[in-house]
Amino acid sequence: MHRVDDVPMRSAGSTSTEPPLSHSEPWWRSAVFYQVYPKSFADGNGDGLGDLIGLRDRLDYLQQLGVDALWLSPFYTSPGADGGYDVADPTDVDPIFGTIADFDALVAAAHARGIRVTIDLVPNHFSNQHPWFREAFAAEPGSRERARFIFRDGQGPRGDLPPNNWPSVFGGPAWTRVPDGQWYLHLFAAEQPDLDWSTPEVAAEFERILRFWLDRGTDGFRVDVAHGMAKATGLPDIAASTLAKINDADHMRPSDDPRWDQDEVHEYLRAFRRVLDSYPGDRMAVGEVWASGGHRLARYVRPDELHLAFSFQLVEVAWSANEFRAAIEDAMQTMPAVGAPCAWVLSNHDIDRHVSRFGGGTVGTARGRAAALLQLALPGAVYLYNGDELGLPNVDDLPDSVLQDPAWDRTGHTVRGRDGERVPLPWDGDTPPFGFSSSAATWLPLPASWQPLTVARQLDEVDSTLSLYRRALDYRAKSSTLHGNDFSWIGSPDDTLAFRRGEDFVVVVNFGGGPAPKPPGQVVLASGPLDGDGTLPANTTVWMREEKAAMDRSAGTSIRDQMTSG
Ligand code: GLC
């Protein structure tokens, strides 16, 4: 067995004649970000939950993997009603994750390894245990305390009907009644009351929060539910036809939903940008924005707003060349128009892991690897979710008794929620919890079937998914072509996609069930074994450098011709 360290990497250093990287562009435009779900990454204190010390202890792994920056999901003081997205103190660390000193040590250790640290910012709502909400709960209707949230009188003669017909994202109504008869709005769980951003005190408080973390050396933020911070004036009912589309899981984002994507949100995001710009060192923000199409998304990354917004297009497609192409085009035709790069996502803590979305098992794994090489070759920034690099699937058979997602209770135990993509990472050993924790009682159980997927096992295997990611990230880090913006489609047979980056870097993805023709050229990296007969196997992506002869030919013919003429 070789450790991957011993395997010669087919990297820009060894196979290309590319010019050295220029550093004139801000780092975030083509960075590889790695999302850490802190509860699931690594447990440093043996309580069965991941924490900041556990993360710090594993930074060498992330450095070897080759990521540029981390995004940490919330580690703030929280009752944990929504996995920490219910924040009770946004400027402190929850004891389950450690202390502020642990955070400072983490930032220092990451920076020492050349890794930037970005963190979640949750501006749409606080926890109902935040002092502001406790005060609002105890205060009078119409008071300053209530004006920080969205309190309204109910409908009906006794006011016992909610103020409007808005549903919560997690099921049930988006309103909860307080003892004096008023209702408060929560687009998510009842424990997550929405803030009223038209109240200036709210913006001032978030400026304080931003500065608190920027002063500690934080490199940027992921802005949670950025499209939700402003609601339509007057909080009008959602039209019945729109409500029907929202209830149909396939059409979750109709453009006339008064809960989301209102114009005022851009004013609030500009205020964030002004704070970020007042700090040295290219601090940045990426928005979680679920918009109805790339043209709406692009409005969030205009030059004085967020730096990036997740290009979620790739999480919404089936394993199909046509769907992938349409998704990539939607993103690439809209973001550059405002000068922003795309920020490609395949998985995160809210979405079924892509290995499972693409079919699971051996096929899902092959497709997941092919999708990874596609993602990592697109122009722009890339977001990886912890475990992507191990090819982890979702765990869909968690016992009901361990489920923690608020959707499970709010839907009367019909929607199981997102715990299946939040199962802790397997590090080493032959039995659960695979080195994640010294305690067997982990917050979610790791399946015994993950034994071949541990980091230690995959580091030892040249062809593992982890080795593939390491090679791809190594190549990408050194490639000025992949850091650039040059991109053009190349004609290719049905069920395949092919594109060129720069002069001679070609990517071909075979979405089909059988072999496809492979253009001539030098293979840089392939997501799976190549047959050696000049074809590209099913569910495989290949990175290639076109041969000079092929490039000359391509002046007159398309790669489709080259690929189909064999
Ligand atoms: C975002 C988070 C998700 C959370 C929700 C409410 O969508 O990614 O995990 O439940 O916001 O904060």
Side-chain angles (χ1 to χ4, degrees):
M1 287 270 190
H2 301 280
R3 289 192 71 85
V4 77
D5 299 346
D6 306 329
V7 176
M9 298 242 182
R10 287 223 172 91
S11 68
S14 55
T15 61
S16 99
T17 52
E18 290 200 14
L21 273 184
S22 117
H23 292 287
S24 54
E25 294 276 2
W27 66 275
W28 44 267
R29 290 189 73 91
S30 58
V32 175
F33 291 82
Y34 182 94
Q35 180 191 356
V36 172
Y37 195 70
K39 235 161 120 175
S40 298
F41 188 72
D43 177 11
N45 68 356
D47 64 357
L49 298 158
D51 46 45
L52 298 183
I53 296 182
L55 170 56
R56 197 185 65 195
D57 287 348
R58 302 285 185 175
L59 284 176
D60 287 342
Y61 165 73
L62 295 171
Q63 187 182 20
Q64 283 175 5
L65 176 59
V67 304
D68 300 305
L70 308 181
W71 151 32
L72 273 58
S73 279
F75 50 83
Y76 315 113
T77 313
S78 165
D82 180 24
Y85 282 94
D86 48 321
V87 180
D89 184 347
T91 52
D92 204 355
V93 175
D94 194 285
I96 67 169
F97 294 120
T99 63
I100 279 284
D102 293 332
F103 177 80
D104 291 341
L106 170 70
V107 171
H111 284 174
R113 289 167 176 77
I115 299 174
R116 304 194 194 237
V117 179
T118 72
I119 62 177
D120 234 294
L121 181 77
V122 190
N124 182 66
H125 42 264
F126 276 157
S127 160
N128 63 347
Q129 299 306 311
H130 186 287
W132 274 16
F133 191 77
R134 289 167 173 272
E135 287 164 26
F137 194 87
E140 305 276 301
S143 57
R144 169 185 170 192
E145 289 81 1
R146 288 214 172 167
R148 295 160 170 163
F149 297 91
I150 304 179
F151 278 85
R152 294 289 182 276
D153 293 331
Q155 298 189 81
R158 288 191 302 280
D160 54 1
L161 297 172
N164 67 25
N165 68 352
W166 293 6
S168 144
V169 171
F170 294 150
W175 296 92
T176 290
R177 203 170 192 197
V178 298
D180 63 29
Q182 277 211 310
W183 299 72
Y184 69 89
L185 179 72
H186 50 87
L187 293 182
F188 295 89
E191 294 86 350
Q192 294 166 294
D194 280 53
L195 288 158
D196 188 340
W197 272 83
S198 66
T199 299
E201 237 189 311
V202 172
E205 173 62 3
F206 272 83
E207 176 166 346
R208 182 188 76 81
I209 297 167
L210 284 171
R211 290 186 183 283
F212 177 87
W213 295 107
L214 289 166
D215 289 342
R216 312 194 89 83
T218 306
D219 296 288
F221 299 87
R222 174 265 190 186
V223 182
D224 189 62
V225 198
H227 58 309
M229 294 161 67
K231 283 77 179 168
T233 310
L235 310 180
D237 270 348
I238 301 176
S241 56
T242 307
L243 210 45
K245 287 187 216 156
I246 294 167
N247 291 332
D248 170 359
D250 289 328
H251 299 90
M252 275 172 45
R253 281 176 291 289
S255 55
D256 58 348
D257 185 334
R259 297 174 301 173
W260 313 115
D261 196 18
Q262 304 296 312
D263 285 347
E264 291 76 9
V265 83
H266 300 285
E267 189 190 309
Y268 310 144
L269 297 174
R270 283 187 193 105
F272 288 175
R273 179 64 179 252
R274 285 193 292 273
V275 176
L276 290 163
D277 284 350
S278 72
Y279 280 77
D282 280 335
R283 316 289 176 111
M284 56 79 64
V286 57
E288 184 209 22
V289 177
W290 292 95
S292 55
H295 63 293
R296 293 297 298 182
L297 184 65
R299 302 174 81 233
Y300 288 77
V301 286
R302 290 175 289 194
D304 58 348
E305 299 194 38
L306 298 171
H307 301 75
L308 298 172
F310 293 125
S311 300
F312 283 131
Q313 286 91 341
L314 295 186
V315 311
E316 311 213 285
V317 289
W319 184 248
S320 135
N322 289 342
E323 289 196 29
F324 264 76
R325 180 166 175 149
I328 292 167
E329 284 181 350
D330 181 54
M332 291 196 28
Q333 287 168 0
T334 45
M335 305 302 258
V338 289
C342 298
W344 303 103
V345 181
L346 282 172
S347 287
N348 70 25
H349 65 297
D350 294 327
I351 302 164
D352 282 353
R353 286 182 175 277
H354 56 273
V355 164
S356 299
R357 291 203 314 276
F358 297 146
T362 317
V363 167
T365 298
R367 291 174 175 171
R369 293 168 60 118
L373 283 200
L374 168 61
Q375 177 193 28
L376 292 169
L378 290 170
V382 162
Y383 275 81
L384 307 180
Y385 175 47
N386 55 199
D388 281 4
E389 78 280 17
L390 304 177
L392 295 186
N394 255 54
V395 179
D396 292 328
D397 56 357
L398 288 169
D400 292 358
S401 58
V402 304
L403 295 183
Q404 306 206 4
D405 191 323
W408 177 238
D409 277 343
R410 287 192 62 86
T411 59
H413 296 179
T414 53
V415 173
R416 294 178 67 77
R418 301 159 292 176
D419 295 311
E421 56 261 26
R422 298 175 178 177
V423 170
L425 262 59
W427 290 94
D428 51 43
D430 293 324
T431 51
F434 297 119
F436 163 72
S437 170
S438 57
S439 161
T442 56
W443 77 281
L444 290 174
L446 290 83
S449 61
W450 280 9
Q451 191 231 5
L453 298 180
T454 63
V455 169
R457 274 287 289 269
Q458 296 204 43
L459 281 176
D460 274 344
E461 285 165 14
V462 173
D463 296 325
S464 67
T465 302
L466 178 55
S467 298
L468 178 71
Y469 269 87
R470 290 185 62 188
R471 284 204 178 84
L473 293 187
D474 181 66
Y475 188 93
R476 186 184 155 102
K478 294 170 183 160
S479 162
S480 55
T481 300
L482 291 182
H483 282 277
N485 295 319
D486 244 30
F487 175 96
S488 54
W489 291 111
I490 303 170
S492 68
D494 287 348
D495 290 336
T496 67
L497 288 183
F499 58 86
R500 185 181 284 112
R501 302 290 318 276
E503 286 250 307
D504 65 345
F505 188 87
V506 168
V507 178
V508 187
V509 190
N510 182 5
F511 289 85
K518 181 167 68 59
Q522 180 200 4
V523 172
V524 172
L525 195 55
S527 67
L530 299 178
D531 290 338
D533 61 357
T535 64
L536 183 60
N539 302 316
T540 305
T541 296
V542 69
W543 287 4
M544 305 187 62
R545 288 209 165 263
E546 271 182 288
E547 277 162 6
K548 183 75 175 69
M551 287 170 66
D552 292 345
R553 272 209 308 280
S554 71
T557 53
S558 72
I559 285 262
R560 174 196 284 274
D561 298 328
Q562 294 172 38
M563 289 173 73
T564 48
S565 68

